[in-house]
C-alpha cells in the first residue's frame, strides 16, 4: 500500500526522459523508477503525467516494494539485489496497485544504475509498463479458463499433467518435460512427456546433478536454469537448455516441472505464465493420486459456479444475463429464468447505474481488464441489498468481448454495520459528557501519544482536578506493574480486548479505589485513527464492602480472630518460611476447661462474652509475629513462628508462650456483674519446614491437648511419648472393635426427623451404638475415629447399611426414608456404589427410601471419582445430604456442584438460634441457600419449642432433636 506523505519539492509530472545513469530506450514504457539499495525511490520519470495514476509527489521517498502485491515482493527484492550487484537485466511480470486501488499487471525490467564513477551496488533503475490487457488477452485467458476443464476431465494424475502440458506447450516450446514430486522415497521423477521423437538418454552423473538442482528449486520462487556438468553425455550431440519451474499448491510446493529444449528461456514472460498455470492445478495434482480423490476434485470444480457461496453470473456484452448461480438468485430474490430475462441494468439501483455502466464501457474499450464496485441491487419487492461486485472480461482470439464474469458478494450486513458504526460514533460523542462514569480520550499516535486530550465532568470530579488535558494516565493512578503498565495501554490495538484493572487514585487525601477500563477504538474522522477510551468508576465503597466480606469469610464473627481457613493458610505460609530460614514454628491447641458449665449455668450470652474476653487475652499474650484463631466452640489455635533452630530449645520457647497464656487466663473475667473463671488445656507441637501436612500439624497439637484434658486439665502437654501411648490405646480400641463386629455388640438406634408443618415423622437417622461386654456403652466419639483410621469403618458401615435395609424391608417399616452416615473411608472404596445398590436389591428396598449423609469436609475434600459415585447414587434415586453444614469450608460453588439433595444445619447454630443473632443469620442463610439451590433442609439439635417455632417461621421444612425424640431401637417408641 502506498503511504501518503507530505509533498516534496519535485515536479508534479516529470517526463520519462532517459535517466543520466542508465542507457535505456524509454519509448515503449510508461515510466521509470530509480531506487536506492534499500528500495527507497530517489527519482522517477513518467510519460503521461502519472505512473499507474500516481504522481511523482505520491511516490518519491516511498519504497517501490509498497506498491507491489505482497505475493510478488520477495521475488522483486531478489531480482533487484541480483541486478544491482551483479549487473545485467531481468524482466518480471508483477502485480502493482494503481492509484484507484486495483491490482494491475506490469512488465518491469530491472537495470543496474552505476554511480558516476562506474561502481555498481548502490542503485537500480526499473522501467514499468502496464500489461494488464495482455494478461487478460485471449491466449492467456483461454489457457487459465481451460485449466478448469482440464482438471475436470482428467481422471488420473498423469492425465492431469498431460492435458496441462498440452496447454502450456502453446506458450513454452520444450522437447521433454518431467514432473518431480515429493514421494514416500523422497523427491523423484514421476511423469515424463516427450515431444521430440528420439530423446537422448541422460547419464547417471547428469541425473544426480539434476536431482540436487530440483531440491534447490523446491524452495526458490524464481524459475531456475540448470547448469549441467561440464561434460557431454554419451550419444548427445548438444547440451539442451534445462529450466525448472515450481508448481505451487495451497499447502506449499506441489511439484517441480523440468523443461528441456533448445528454445527454453528463463527470462521469457511466458515462463511466469506457466508458473501461474501450474499453480492453479497444484492442489488438483495432489488430489488426483487416487481415483476417489480425482472424482471428488472434478465434482468440486464442476460445482464451483453453481454451488459457490457468493453470487456468480455470466453477463453478455450488452448487459443481459447468460447464466446465474443459486447464490445470486437468492441475493436478487429472482429465479434463474427471471434473471436471464433481464439485464444487469434492471436489477441495479438507479443511483449506482451510471458508475457501473462507465466501468463496463471502459472494459469494452480495453482501458481496464477488471473492476470492483460496491453497488446496490433491487429485488422485485423493492428491497435494496448491497453487493461487492467484481467483474472480469473474457475475449475471443480476435480480442472481441465474449462475456463478463461477475462475482457478487452480499455485503448488506457490512454496510448495515458501517451505518450502525456511524450512529454509534455519534451516540458516543453525544453521551461522552453526560456519562455517569468518568471518561477520557487518549490518542495512541502522534505528539500527544498517551496524554489525555478530552475528559468529561465526572472524570474531573473523581480526580478533583479541572485540568486533565495533557496529563498522562500513570500520573492519575498508582500502577501495579505486575498487573498493568502504561506500556500496556499504549500497545492496545483495535483488535485487542479491553484492559480492566482496579487501581488506587494517586495523591488523594483519603484512599480511593477506581475501576479503570481502557478500550481501544478507531475514530475515522480524526487525523490519527487510534484512540483509547478510558472509563473510570469510583469503587471505594465497593472495595470496602469486599474487604469486610473477605474479613467475615476468614475471621470468626464472635471474637474477630482468624477462623480455621485463615489459620490453615497461615500455617502453610509458616511452613514455607521455616523451610527457607531453618527456624522451627509451633502450634498451641487451646481448649477451655468446663466451658459447658458456663453455658449451662449462666446461659449462652455469658458463654459468648467469655469467648470474646479469652480471645482478647490470647491476643495480648502473643509476640508480634504470632497469631491466634478460633476453630469453633471453645477451641483456639495459636501459631508461633521464628522459634529456635534447635528443636529442644524451640519446644522450651513454645512452652514459655503457653505458660504466659495460662497466666493471662487465670484472673477472673467479669461479665455483666458475674465473675467467670476459666482455664485451658493446651496441646503443644513444634514443627519444621514442610515435613508434615498442615492438618497433621494441627492434629498433633489437638492430640496433645486431649492428653492435657485426660491428665487433669489447665495444663500444657507436648506431642511426644504421650502421643505414642495414645496410639497404642487406639490400637487396643481397634482390636476390641474387630471383636465387636464378629460378636454382634453393635445395634442401630433411630432418631426421628419430622415435618415442621405438623410435627409428623417423615424420616429417621440411623445411629450406630456399641455396647461393650465390660466397658458398657461406648460413645461413638471414642470408637468412630478409630474405626475410620483402622479401616474397620467400611465393614461397620456395611453392617449399618444392611440393618437399615432390613428395617425398611419389614412389614411395618417406618414412614418415609432412613438416613445412614457415610465416612470418608467408605466413600473412597471403588465398589461403594455396588455395595449400596446390592443391599437395596437383596432386601427389595426402593432407592428413594434410603439417604446417605456425609460431613461437609468429607464432601469437599472427596476426589472427583467419589463425587461421580455419589452422583450415580443420586441419579439412581437415593438422597444425598451434607451433615453438620456450616462447620466446614464448603463454598457456594462447591455446594452447587456437589451431587447433594439436602443440607443439615449443624446443631451448634440451632443451639444459639433464639439467643444469638449470628446463629440466627447463619441458619436463615443456610435455609435460603438450600431453597435457592432446590435442596431440602433439616435442622439438627432442636431441643425447645421456641427453636422449633422459629425454624418454622424461617421456612425450614424438617428438623430433628431431643424435642421430637431421642434415638431408640426401631421397635422402641422414641421418647419426647
Amino acid at each position: 500500500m502506498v503511504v501518503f506523505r507530505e509533498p516534496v519539492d519535485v515536479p508534479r509530472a516529470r517526463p520519462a526522459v532517459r535517466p543520466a545513469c542508465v542507457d535505456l530506450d524509454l519509448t515503449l514504457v510508461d515510466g521509470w523508477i530509480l531506487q536506492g539499495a534499500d528500495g527507497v525511490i530517489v527519482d522517477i520519470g513518467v510519460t503521461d503525467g502519472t505512473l499507474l495514476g500516481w504522481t511523482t509527489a505520491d511516490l518519491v521517498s516511498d519504497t517501490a516494494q509498497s506498491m507491489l502485491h505482497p505475493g510478488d515482493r520477495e521475488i522483486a527484492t531478489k531480482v533487484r539485489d541480483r541486478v544491482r550487484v551483479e549487473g545485467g537485466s531481468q524482466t518480471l511480470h508483477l502485480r502493482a496497485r494503481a492509484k484507484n486501488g486495483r491490482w494491475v499487471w506490469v512488465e518491469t525490467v530491472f537495470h543496474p544504475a552505476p554511480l558516476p564513477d562506474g561502481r555498481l551496488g548502490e542503485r537500480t533503475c526499473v522501467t514499468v509498463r502496464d500489461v494488464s490487457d495482455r494478461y487478460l488477452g485471449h491466449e492467456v485467458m483461454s489457457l487459465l479458463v481451460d485449466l478448469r476443464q482440464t482438471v475436470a476431465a482428467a481422471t488420473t494424475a498423469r492425465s492431469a499433467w498431460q492435458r496441462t502440458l498440452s496447454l502450456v506447450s502453446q506458450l513454452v516450446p520444450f522437447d521433454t518435460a518431467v514432473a518431480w514430486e515429493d514421494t514416500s522415497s523422497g523427491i523423484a521423477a514421476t511423469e515424463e512427456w516427450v515431444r521430440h521423437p528420439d530423446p537422448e538418454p541422460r547419464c547417471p552423473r547428469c541425473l544426480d546433478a539434476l536431482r540436487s538442482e530440483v531440491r534447490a528449486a523446491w524452495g526458490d520462487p524464481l524459475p531456475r536454469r540448470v547448469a549441467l556438468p561440464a561434460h557431454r553425455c554419451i550419444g548427445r550431440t548438444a547440451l539442451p537448455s534445462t529450466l525448472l519451474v515450481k508448481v505451487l499448491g495451497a499447502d506449499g510446493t506441489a511439484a517441480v516441472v523440468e523443461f528441456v529444449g533448445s528454445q527454453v528461456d528463463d527470462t521469457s514472460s511466458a515462463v511466469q505464465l506457466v508458473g501461474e498455470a501450474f499453480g492453479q492445478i497444484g492442489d488438483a495434482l495432489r488430489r488426483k493420486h487416487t481415483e476417489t480423490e480425482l472424482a471428488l476434485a472434478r465434482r468440486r470444480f464442476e460445482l464451483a459456479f453453481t454451488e459457490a457461496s457468493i453470487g456468480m453470473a455470466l453477463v453478455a456484452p450488452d448487459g443481459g444475463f447468460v447464466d446465474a448461480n443459486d447464490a445470486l438468485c437468492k441475493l436478487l430474490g429472482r429465479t434463474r429464468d427471471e434473471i436471464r430475462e433481464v439485464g444487469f441494468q434492471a436489477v441495479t439501483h438507479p443511483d449506482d447505474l451510471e458508475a457501473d455502466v462507465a466501468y463496463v464501457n471502459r472494459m469494452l474499450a480495453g482501458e481496464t481488464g477488471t473492476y470492483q464496485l460496491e453497488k446496490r441491487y433491487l429485488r422485485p419487492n423493492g428491497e435494496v441489498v448491497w453487493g461487492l461486485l467484481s467483474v472480469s472480461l473474457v475475449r475471443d482470439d480476435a480480442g472481441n468481448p465474449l462475456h463478463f464474469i461477475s462475482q457478487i458478494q452480499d455485503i448488506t450486513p457490512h454496510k448495515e454495520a458501517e451505518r450502525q458504526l456511524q450512529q454509534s460514533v455519534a451516540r458516543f460523542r453525544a453521551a461522552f459528557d453526560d456519562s455517569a462514569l468518568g471518561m477520557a480520550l487518549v490518542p495512541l499516535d502522534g505528539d500527544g501519544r498517551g496524554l489525555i486530550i478530552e475528559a468529561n465532568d465526572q472524570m474531573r470530579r473523581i480526580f478533583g482536578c479541572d485540568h486533565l488535558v495533557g496529563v498522562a494516565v500513570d500520573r492519575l493512578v498508582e500502577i501495579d506493574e505486575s498487573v498493568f503498565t502504561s506500556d500496556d495501554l499504549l500497545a492496545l490495538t483495535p483488535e485487542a480486548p479491553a484492559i480492566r484493572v482496579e487501581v488506587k487514585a494517586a495523591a488523594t487525601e483519603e484512599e480511593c479505589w477506581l475501576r479503570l477500563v481502557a478500550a481501544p477504538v478507531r475514530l475515522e474522522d480524526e487525523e490519527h485513527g487510534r484512540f483509547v477510551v478510558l472509563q473510570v468508576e469510583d469503587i471505594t465503597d465497593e472495595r470496602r464492602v469486599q474487604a469486610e466480606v473477605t474479613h467475615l469469610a476468614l475471621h470468626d464473627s464472635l471474637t474477630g480472630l482468624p477462623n480455621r481457613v485463615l489459620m490453615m493458610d497461615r500455617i502453610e505460609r509458616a511452613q514455607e518460611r521455616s523451610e527457607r530460614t531453618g527456624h522451627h514454628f509451633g502450634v498451641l491447641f487451646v481448649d477451655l476447661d468446663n466451658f459447658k458449665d458456663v453455658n449451662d449455668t449462666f446461659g449462652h450470652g455469658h458463654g459468648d462474652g467469655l469467648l470474646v474476653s479469652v480471645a482478647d487475652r490470647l491476643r495480648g499474650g502473643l509476640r508480634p509475629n504470632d497469631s491466634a484463631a478460633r476453630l469453633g466452640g471453645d477451641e483456639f489455635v495459636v501459631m508461633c513462628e521464628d522459634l529456635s533452630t534447635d528443636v529442644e530449645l524451640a519446644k522450651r520457647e513454645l512452652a514459655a508462650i503457653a505458660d504466659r497464656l495460662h497466666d493471662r487466663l487465670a484472673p477472673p473475667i467479669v461479665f455483666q456483674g458475674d465473675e467467670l473463671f476459666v482455664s485451658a488445656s493446651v496441646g503443644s507441637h513444634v514443627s519444621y519446614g514442610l515435613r508434615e501436612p498442615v492438618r497433621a500439624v494441627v492434629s498433633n497439637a489437638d492430640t496433645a491437648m486431649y492428653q492435657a484434658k485426660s491428665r487433669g486439665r489447665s495444663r500444657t502437654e507436648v506431642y511426644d511419648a504421650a502421643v505414642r501411648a495414645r496410639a497404642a490405646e487406639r490400637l487396643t480400641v481397634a482390636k476390641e472393635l474387630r471383636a465387636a463386629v464378629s460378636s454382634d455388640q453393635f445395634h442401630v438406634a433411630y432418631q426421628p426427623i419430622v415435618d415442621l408443618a405438623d410435627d409428623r415423622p417423615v424420616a429417621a437417622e440411623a445411629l450406630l451404638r456399641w455396647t461393650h461386654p465390660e466397658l458398657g456403652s461406648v460413645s461413638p466419639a471414642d470408637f468412630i475415629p478409630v474405626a475410620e483410621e483402622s479401616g474397620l469403618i467400611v465393614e461397620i458401615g456395611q453392617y449399618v447399611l444392611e440393618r437399615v435395609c432390613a428395617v425398611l424391608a419389614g412389614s411395618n417399616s417406618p414412614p418415609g426414608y432412613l438416613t445412614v452416615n457415610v465416612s470418608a473411608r467408605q466413600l473412597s472404596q471403588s465398589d461403594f456404589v455396588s455395595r449400596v445398590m446390592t443391599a437395596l436389591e437383596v432386601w427389595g428396598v426402593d432407592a428413594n427410601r434410603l439417604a446417605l449423609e456425609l460431613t461437609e469436609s468429607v464432601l469437599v475434600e472427596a476426589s472427583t471419582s467419589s463425587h461421580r459415585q455419589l452422583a450415580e447414587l443420586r441419579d439412581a434415586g437415593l438422597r444425598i445430604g451434607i451433615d453438620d453444614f456450616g462447620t466446614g469450608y464448603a463454598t457456594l460453588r462447591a455446594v452447587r456442584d456437589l451431587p447433594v439433595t439436602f443440607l443439615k444445619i449443624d446443631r451448634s447454630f440451632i443451639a444459639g438460634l433464639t439467643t444469638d443473632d449470628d446463629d440466627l443469620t447463619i441458619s436463615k442463610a443456610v435455609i435460603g441457600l438450600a431453597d435457592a439451590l432446590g435442596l431440602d433442609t433439616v435442622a439438627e439439635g432442636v431441643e425447645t419449642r421456641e427453636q422449633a417455632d422459629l425454624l418454622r417461621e424461617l421456612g425450614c421444612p424438617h428438623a430433628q432433636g431431643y424435642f421430637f425424640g431421642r434415638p431408640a431401637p426401631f421397635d422402641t417408641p422414641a421418647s419426647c
Side-chain angles (χ1 to χ4, degrees):
M1 179 179 291
V2 174
V3 179
F4 291 97
R5 305 178 183 274
E6 294 295 329
V8 296
D9 188 16
V10 296
R12 178 168 182 79
R14 177 174 296 170
V17 297
R18 181 177 59 81
C21 58
V22 181
D23 185 11
L24 301 175
D25 182 3
L26 302 178
T27 58
L28 299 178
V29 299
D30 297 333
W32 55 267
I33 294 173
L34 188 65
Q35 53 184 336
D38 56 359
V40 174
I41 299 173
V42 298
D43 201 358
I44 186 170
V46 296
T47 57
D48 62 351
T50 62
L51 183 60
L52 304 182
W54 303 105
T55 67
T56 55
D58 294 330
L59 300 177
V60 171
S61 298
D62 205 342
T63 62
Q65 289 291 83
S66 63
M67 296 180 62
L68 296 181
H69 190 281
D72 294 342
R73 291 173 182 172
E74 180 183 357
I75 186 172
T77 300
K78 287 186 177 182
V79 171
R80 183 197 73 201
D81 292 341
R82 179 193 302 170
V83 170
R84 176 172 54 82
V85 176
E86 300 177 3
S89 298
Q90 178 73 53
T91 301
L92 288 180
H93 286 159
L94 305 171
R95 290 161 290 182
R97 185 185 295 278
K99 182 82 177 262
N100 60 12
R102 293 192 309 106
W103 292 109
V104 298
W105 281 98
V106 294
E107 181 180 77
T108 60
V109 182
F110 289 78
H111 304 274
L115 295 174
D117 59 4
R119 285 187 298 111
L120 296 179
E122 295 297 329
R123 297 182 301 179
T124 309
C125 183
V126 184
T127 61
V128 180
R129 182 164 65 97
D130 185 347
V131 292
S132 299
D133 291 341
R134 174 180 174 183
Y135 263 73
L136 294 176
H138 173 70
E139 181 184 63
V140 177
M141 198 63 188
S142 297
L143 171 63
L144 298 181
V145 171
D146 287 347
L147 284 176
R148 168 183 166 188
Q149 301 172 352
T150 295
V151 176
T155 58
T156 65
R158 180 177 179 81
S159 63
W161 278 115
Q162 290 174 335
R163 290 172 178 266
T164 302
L165 285 168
S166 176
L167 295 173
V168 170
S169 64
Q170 302 173 30
L171 298 175
V172 179
F174 63 86
D175 297 331
T176 304
V178 179
W180 295 80
E181 298 186 71
D182 192 1
T183 66
S184 58
S185 59
I187 298 177
T190 57
E191 300 289 347
E192 182 174 359
W193 302 270
V194 180
R195 300 176 65 213
H196 191 281
D198 297 310
E200 296 182 352
R202 292 170 171 160
C203 70
R205 185 174 177 183
C206 286
L207 288 176
D208 290 343
L210 189 56
R211 288 191 184 92
S212 177
E213 293 289 346
V214 169
R215 292 189 184 92
W218 203 268
D220 193 342
L222 296 174
R224 189 179 185 88
R225 179 176 292 281
V226 174
L228 295 177
H231 75 285
R232 291 183 178 275
C233 299
I234 299 175
R236 286 183 178 266
T237 59
L239 289 176
S241 297
T242 300
L243 185 67
L244 301 179
V245 179
K246 183 165 66 175
V247 179
L248 293 177
D251 56 351
T253 303
V256 170
V257 178
E258 170 198 359
F259 293 101
V260 181
S262 58
Q263 300 182 50
V264 173
D265 181 7
D266 65 338
T267 62
S268 170
S269 60
V271 170
Q272 295 186 52
L273 299 181
V274 170
E276 287 186 38
F278 276 119
Q280 294 191 35
I281 67 160
D283 292 334
L285 290 174
R286 291 195 170 196
R287 292 195 299 268
K288 291 177 180 292
H289 281 300
T290 64
E291 293 294 334
T292 302
E293 290 177 331
L294 170 66
L296 179 61
R298 186 173 63 249
R299 179 60 176 162
R300 287 175 177 172
F301 197 83
E302 291 173 349
L303 296 177
F305 181 85
T306 58
E307 300 297 330
S309 59
I310 64 173
M312 296 187 68
L314 298 180
V315 183
D318 62 358
F321 284 102
V322 178
D323 198 2
N325 66 355
D326 291 341
L328 184 59
C329 294
K330 181 178 179 181
L331 176 66
L332 299 181
R334 301 171 184 264
T335 66
R336 187 168 294 182
D337 290 339
E338 289 173 343
I339 290 178
R340 291 194 184 104
E341 293 176 358
V342 300
F344 81 90
Q345 298 91 337
V347 297
T348 300
H349 191 283
D351 294 343
D352 297 338
L353 183 58
E354 181 179 354
D356 202 357
V357 171
Y359 275 116
V360 169
N361 291 334
R362 289 185 61 196
M363 290 186 70
L364 293 174
E367 298 177 9
T368 182
T370 62
Y371 74 89
Q372 192 174 76
L373 176 69
E374 289 185 0
K375 58 178 286 190
R376 287 163 289 182
Y377 290 90
L378 296 176
R379 289 177 173 172
N381 60 3
E383 182 181 358
V384 176
V385 292
W386 278 91
L388 176 61
L389 172 66
S390 299
V391 181
S392 59
L393 178 60
V394 179
R395 297 177 181 270
D396 60 17
D397 294 340
N400 299 315
L402 291 176
H403 55 261
F404 297 98
I405 300 176
S406 298
Q407 295 181 336
I408 303 97
Q409 181 179 357
D410 186 357
I411 59 170
T412 304
H414 301 291
K415 300 299 287 188
E416 176 63 19
E418 289 180 4
R419 184 186 66 82
Q420 293 179 359
L421 177 60
Q422 293 172 355
Q423 293 179 348
S424 176
V425 171
R427 288 193 296 268
F428 168 78
R429 291 294 182 184
F432 185 86
D433 288 330
D434 298 330
S435 173
L437 301 175
M439 297 189 69
L441 200 60
V442 179
L444 299 180
D445 303 296
D447 295 337
R449 181 173 182 259
L451 303 179
I452 294 175
I453 62 171
E454 190 175 350
N456 68 352
D457 291 339
Q458 182 65 12
M459 190 81 166
R460 288 186 281 271
R461 281 192 292 269
I462 289 176
F463 290 103
C465 179
D466 293 332
H467 305 288
L468 293 178
V469 174
V471 178
V473 178
D474 53 6
R475 287 182 53 193
L476 299 176
V477 298
E478 297 179 5
I479 293 180
D480 181 356
E481 293 192 356
S482 64
V483 177
F484 164 69
T485 68
S486 56
D487 289 339
D488 296 331
L489 177 69
L490 298 177
L492 280 174
T493 63
E495 298 78 18
I499 294 176
R500 302 173 187 272
V501 292
E502 294 184 359
V503 295
K504 275 186 178 182
T508 54
E509 295 182 359
E510 297 183 358
E511 183 178 72
C512 177
W513 279 93
L514 307 172
R515 180 177 292 116
L516 186 148
V517 179
V521 297
R522 181 179 293 278
L523 302 180
E524 300 296 345
D525 60 337
E526 299 290 344
E527 180 180 0
H528 301 290
R530 294 197 311 136
F531 287 83
V532 165
V533 173
L534 295 180
Q535 294 181 350
V536 180
E537 180 182 4
D538 187 342
I539 58 169
T540 305
D541 293 339
E542 180 182 326
R543 291 282 296 217
R544 187 176 296 115
V545 171
Q546 288 178 351
E548 292 174 357
V549 170
T550 302
H551 184 273
L552 290 175
L554 298 176
H555 291 77
D556 176 51
S557 59
L558 177 64
T559 64
L561 290 176
N563 60 13
R564 179 188 299 271
V565 175
L566 182 54
M567 176 53 74
M568 291 299 186
D569 180 73
R570 289 184 176 179
I571 293 176
E572 185 175 349
R573 302 286 86 76
Q575 286 181 315
E576 295 171 354
R577 286 188 288 271
S578 173
E579 187 77 18
R580 293 194 304 269
T581 65
H583 286 270
H584 290 80
F585 69 96
V587 172
L588 298 174
F589 200 104
V590 181
D591 187 273
L592 302 185
D593 298 327
N594 302 316
F595 175 71
K596 185 175 182 298
D597 294 341
V598 175
N599 279 335
D600 293 343
T601 302
F602 297 99
H604 289 287
H606 278 62
D608 289 345
L610 175 64
L611 292 174
V612 172
S613 297
V614 168
D616 292 338
R617 292 187 178 186
L618 289 179
R619 288 190 192 95
L622 299 181
R623 304 172 305 166
N625 291 337
D626 300 340
S627 60
R630 182 191 177 202
L631 300 189
D634 60 344
E635 293 181 339
F636 297 85
V637 166
V638 175
M639 193 266 293
C640 305
E641 291 193 73
D642 296 326
L643 301 178
S644 175
T645 56
D646 179 79
V647 62
E648 295 302 327
L649 183 56
K651 289 181 179 180
R652 290 195 292 272
E653 291 174 347
L654 188 61
I657 297 173
D659 292 341
R660 187 159 63 249
L661 296 181
H662 283 298
D663 293 341
R664 293 188 63 83
L665 293 177
I669 295 173
V670 179
F671 183 78
Q672 295 183 356
D674 297 318
E675 283 192 344
L676 307 176
F677 292 89
V678 65
S679 64
S681 298
V682 179
S684 172
H685 178 55
V686 170
S687 185
Y688 172 81
L690 302 172
R691 297 178 179 178
E692 299 175 295
V694 175
R695 293 186 179 278
V697 173
V698 178
S699 176
N700 290 341
D702 185 18
T703 302
M705 181 273 296
Y706 277 109
Q707 294 299 315
K709 288 278 189 186
S710 64
R711 294 184 178 182
R713 305 183 180 182
S714 189
R715 59 187 292 134
T716 300
E717 289 291 335
V718 179
Y719 179 79
D720 50 16
V723 177
R724 290 193 294 272
R726 175 60 178 162
E729 181 182 344
R730 293 169 71 87
L731 289 176
T732 302
V733 174
K735 180 179 179 181
E736 295 291 332
L737 273 175
R738 289 186 175 87
V741 172
S742 60
S743 58
D744 199 23
Q745 296 176 14
F746 292 111
H747 70 275
V748 180
Y750 300 88
Q751 185 176 32
I753 300 173
V754 303
D755 188 334
L756 283 174
D758 53 11
D759 292 350
R760 175 177 51 85
V762 294
E765 180 179 0
L767 301 169
L768 182 65
R769 296 291 183 260
W770 181 16
T771 304
H772 192 276
E774 298 178 0
L775 301 177
S777 179
V778 182
S779 171
D782 293 332
F783 71 83
I784 290 296
V786 178
E788 179 79 28
E789 181 180 344
S790 63
L792 287 172
I793 193 68
V794 176
E795 185 176 354
I796 295 173
Q798 189 66 26
Y799 166 84
V800 175
L801 179 64
E802 295 288 345
R803 291 295 182 273
V804 168
C805 287
V807 169
L808 290 172
S811 58
N812 61 337
S813 62
Y817 61 91
L818 296 180
T819 72
V820 176
N821 290 286
V822 176
S823 73
R825 184 66 68 92
Q826 288 176 272
L827 186 59
S828 66
Q829 301 296 307
S830 59
D831 61 345
F832 177 66
V833 173
S834 63
R835 285 173 179 263
V836 175
M837 298 307 296
T838 299
L840 292 173
E841 184 179 352
V842 168
W843 289 98
V845 177
D846 290 339
N848 61 8
R849 298 202 64 195
L850 181 64
L852 305 180
E853 292 185 25
L854 300 95
T855 63
E856 189 174 354
S857 59
V858 168
L859 269 173
V860 173
E861 295 175 2
S863 64
T864 303
S865 60
S866 297
H867 286 171
R868 284 198 296 267
Q869 290 194 90
L870 291 176
E872 184 178 348
L873 291 171
R874 179 200 59 192
D875 295 341
L878 278 79
R879 294 175 169 87
I880 308 294
I882 301 180
D883 195 13
D884 302 333
F885 184 76
T887 61
Y889 47 89
T891 63
L892 177 60
R893 180 181 295 275
V895 174
R896 185 194 66 184
D897 296 339
L898 289 172
V900 299
T901 59
F902 66 92
L903 305 177
K904 277 196 167 184
I905 307 175
D906 185 68
R907 64 182 65 252
S908 64
F909 302 121
I910 303 303
L913 189 64
T914 58
T915 59
D916 189 295
D917 290 340
D918 290 339
D919 288 344
L920 176 62
T921 300
I922 293 173
S923 300
K924 185 186 300 184
V926 173
I927 294 170
L929 170 65
D931 184 60
L933 296 177
L935 306 178
D936 192 9
T937 309
V938 179
E940 294 184 296
V942 179
E943 298 182 359
T944 66
R945 168 61 66 184
E946 291 79 6
Q947 292 171 343
D949 292 341
L950 183 53
L951 286 168
R952 190 177 295 109
E953 293 177 9
L954 295 177
C956 182
H958 300 112
Q960 71 180 98
Y962 287 173
F963 178 73
F964 302 108
R966 295 178 179 272
F970 174 62
D971 54 357
T972 301
S975 58
C976 298

